[in-house]
Amino acid sequence: QVQLVESGGGLVQAGDSLRLSCAASGRTFSSYAMGWFRQAPGKEREFVAAISRSGGMTIYADSVKGRFTISRDNAKDTVYLQMNSLKPEDTAVYYCAADYDRATPRISTSHYDSWGQGTQVTVSS
């Protein structure tokens, strides 16, 4: 399995930006499609964005499309989530996840093999 560590969360105001990072170690990072998910208090974990192994294909939840950008640097074993125009409803714990031996990205949590511990993002109005 790959180990994942998220960073970059924090408290920001509506309209601000944040960039989350997820550093991987263990197995070959380029073997994994990667995803970002989030979970708000009292709600189920939901899909945010995902990226293919090569980085050439990305998919987004409708709620973040046009505001968030997922990217990866396979040389640094890191996946990023650039979040712009943040809204209070983006407040959640954000998790990165790895989908082993999968070339193209998927949206279901059940497809992902490894998860990070999460990083808190709080957006005040």
Side-chain angles (χ1 to χ4, degrees):
Q1 274 192 334
V2 66
Q3 289 76 48
L4 304 171
V5 179
E6 302 97 335
S7 61
L11 172 63
V12 298
Q13 293 187 330
D16 285 350
S17 298
L18 275 177
R19 188 175 82 154
L20 305 183
S21 299
C22 174
S25 61
R27 303 185 77 165
T28 305
F29 181 66
S30 58
S31 299
Y32 295 84
M34 298 295 296
W36 284 97
F37 294 79
R38 66 186 182 187
Q39 188 166 18
K43 295 188 176 181
E44 292 190 353
R45 193 168 298 188
E46 65 174 5
F47 170 76
V48 175
I51 189 166
S52 62
R53 290 191 300 196
S54 68
M57 180 178 177
T58 58
I59 54 175
Y60 296 93
D62 287 344
S63 59
V64 306
K65 202 171 294 183
R67 299 188 298 122
F68 290 12
T69 303
I70 187 171
S71 61
R72 66 190 295 162
D73 186 339
N74 286 346
K76 295 183 178 179
D77 293 350
T78 302
V79 61
Y80 304 98
L81 186 68
Q82 178 66 44
M83 305 186 295
N84 298 331
S85 302
L86 282 161
K87 304 175 181 180
E89 50 263 44
D90 294 319
T91 294
V93 177
Y94 282 72
Y95 300 89
C96 70
D99 188 357
Y100 178 61
D101 202 24
R102 176 74 186 182
T104 55
R106 298 188 284 188
I107 66 172
S108 174
T109 57
S110 64
H111 293 144
Y112 288 79
D113 308 287
S114 300
W115 293 82
Q117 83 289 347
T119 186
Q120 177 71 47
V121 172
T122 303
V123 184
S124 63
S125 57

